[in-house]
């Protein structure tokens, strides 16, 4: 066993780590977040605020913070670009993705969405975020039918973008038209990454179990109401 991933029975933030574990063929167990959070959250070494938690068996280390988990796996499995500027852009991309998760859930579900702020977010910030990823890809040679976000090789950035938008489109399909309009290259990239054998097999199984569940809670209900 290489890793244990502690998360809820949802794709949302956990799939960033899990798609990576699948892509690299790591031996891992998916465990329920409640085994750690909240009761035992401070009892582990290097505690974090909330799931996901990644436990590395070899080093007996817990990692919290999704971007840290993903960067760690990227380094362990050689899925980080070698030039230091691209390495930093990979981190930046993962942080961008984590920001989108927070924004789309209205600050991790602090307030439920109302029609007007949602429509404003959808047509302005969400659209702009999509364009941010699209422009990054185009600047590094992403084409409509091939390529990756940061150059000629798959990196953690491709896994992150797919965990963000592939999941979003599967769970909240009305947003597909938004991505196709604002970031067609990213839409194609997500399809290609989701079609990679290990990831495809995993997603088929997970989507069979979870259906279209996304982030859970009242905020997911609120998002669905907004999308009619
Ligand atoms: N910045 C953290 C955010 C963690 C987070 O917000 N986790 C959510 C699920 S995606 C959670 O379980 N929140 C429960 C809580 O904060 O009480 C990360 O990137 O991992």
């Amino acid at each position: 066993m290489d890793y244990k991933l502690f998360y809820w029975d949802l794709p949302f933030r956990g799939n960033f780590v899990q798609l990576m574990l699948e892509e690299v063929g790591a031996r891992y167990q998916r465990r329920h977040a409640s085994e750690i959070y909240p009761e035992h959250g401070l009892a582990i070494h290097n505690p974090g605020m909330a799931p996901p938690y990644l436990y590395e068996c070899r080093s007996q280390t817990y990692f919290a913070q999704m971007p840290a988990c993903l960067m760690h796996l990227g380094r362990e499995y050689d899925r980080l670009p070698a030039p230091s500027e691209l390495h930093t852009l990979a981190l930046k991309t993962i942080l961008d993705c984590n920001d989108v998760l927070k924004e789309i859930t209205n600050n991790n579900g602090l307030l439920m969405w109302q029609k007007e702020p949602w429509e404003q977010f959808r047509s302005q910030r969400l659209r702009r975020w999509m364009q941010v990823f699209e422009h990054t890809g185009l600047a590094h040679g992403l084409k409509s039918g091939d390529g990756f976000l940061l150059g000629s090789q798959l990196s953690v950035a491709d896994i992150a973008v797919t965990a963000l938008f592939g999941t979003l489109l599967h769970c909240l399909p009305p947003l597909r038209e938004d991505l196709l309009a604002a970031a067609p290259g990213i839409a194609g990239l997500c399809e290609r990454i989701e079609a990679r054998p290990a990831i495809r097999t995993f997603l088929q199984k997970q989507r069979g179990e979870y259906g279209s569940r996304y982030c859970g809670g009242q905020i997911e209900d609120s998002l669905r109401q907004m999308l009619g």
Side-chain angles (χ1 to χ4, degrees):
M1 173 83 57
D2 301 319
Y3 291 95
K4 294 180 191 175
L5 170 62
F6 297 82
Y7 199 66
W8 312 108
D9 289 337
L10 297 163
F12 193 57
R13 223 177 228 107
N15 262 24
F16 286 75
V17 183
Q18 198 162 2
L19 288 190
M20 185 70 184
L21 290 167
E22 290 288 341
E23 169 64 25
V24 300
R27 292 166 303 163
Y28 73 97
Q29 266 181 6
R30 177 76 124 91
R31 307 286 289 253
H32 200 266
S34 62
E35 288 185 47
I36 295 180
Y37 182 86
E39 277 83 8
H40 310 295
L42 290 177
I44 61 172
H45 288 291
N46 317 309
M49 181 51 76
Y53 301 98
L54 179 68
Y55 179 73
E56 184 171 64
C57 302
R58 174 183 54 75
S59 63
Q60 301 185 348
T61 310
Y62 282 96
F63 301 101
Q65 292 280 19
M66 179 277 279
C69 300
L70 204 41
M71 288 300 284
H72 184 75
L73 292 175
R75 173 152 182 179
E76 285 295 312
Y77 290 96
D78 200 17
R79 299 302 197 282
L80 279 167
S84 64
E85 65 276 16
L86 291 183
H87 183 286
T88 302
L89 284 177
L91 170 61
K92 181 263 188 198
T93 299
I94 299 169
L95 295 173
D96 281 350
C97 290
N98 218 19
D99 279 10
V100 177
L101 295 184
K102 191 162 180 173
E103 291 191 23
I104 202 162
T105 52
N106 214 359
N107 203 3
N108 292 339
L110 208 58
L111 286 176
M112 296 309 111
W113 279 113
Q114 303 296 329
K115 201 74 188 165
E116 201 181 313
W118 163 256
E119 289 303 339
Q120 202 174 30
F121 168 69
R122 181 179 182 179
S123 63
Q124 294 177 17
R125 284 191 71 90
L126 184 57
R127 181 158 176 272
R128 192 178 166 90
W129 272 125
M130 290 171 174
Q131 291 170 323
V132 164
F133 293 101
E134 183 80 1
H135 283 232
T136 303
L138 294 180
H140 293 93
L142 180 66
K143 302 273 186 324
S144 64
D146 76 338
F148 298 97
L149 193 81
L150 296 177
S152 58
Q153 280 185 336
L154 178 130
S155 75
V156 283
D158 302 290
I159 298 295
V161 165
T162 305
L164 176 64
F165 289 115
T167 307
L168 195 65
L169 268 46
H170 168 76
C171 299
L172 303 171
L175 293 176
R176 179 175 299 277
E177 63 187 68
D178 302 51
L179 190 69
L180 286 174
I186 294 296
L189 174 66
C190 292
E191 275 179 23
R192 293 196 297 282
I193 302 293
E194 287 196 341
R196 293 172 75 85
I199 293 184
R200 187 181 56 210
T201 306
F202 159 67
L203 286 177
Q204 271 172 356
K205 182 163 177 284
Q206 188 191 54
R207 289 170 178 177
E209 286 171 20
Y210 295 173
S212 62
R213 275 155 63 197
Y214 180 54
C215 56
Q218 293 173 326
I219 190 62
E220 176 163 344
D221 298 341
S222 153
L223 263 174
R224 292 192 184 286
Q225 272 172 23
M226 294 302 112
L227 292 166

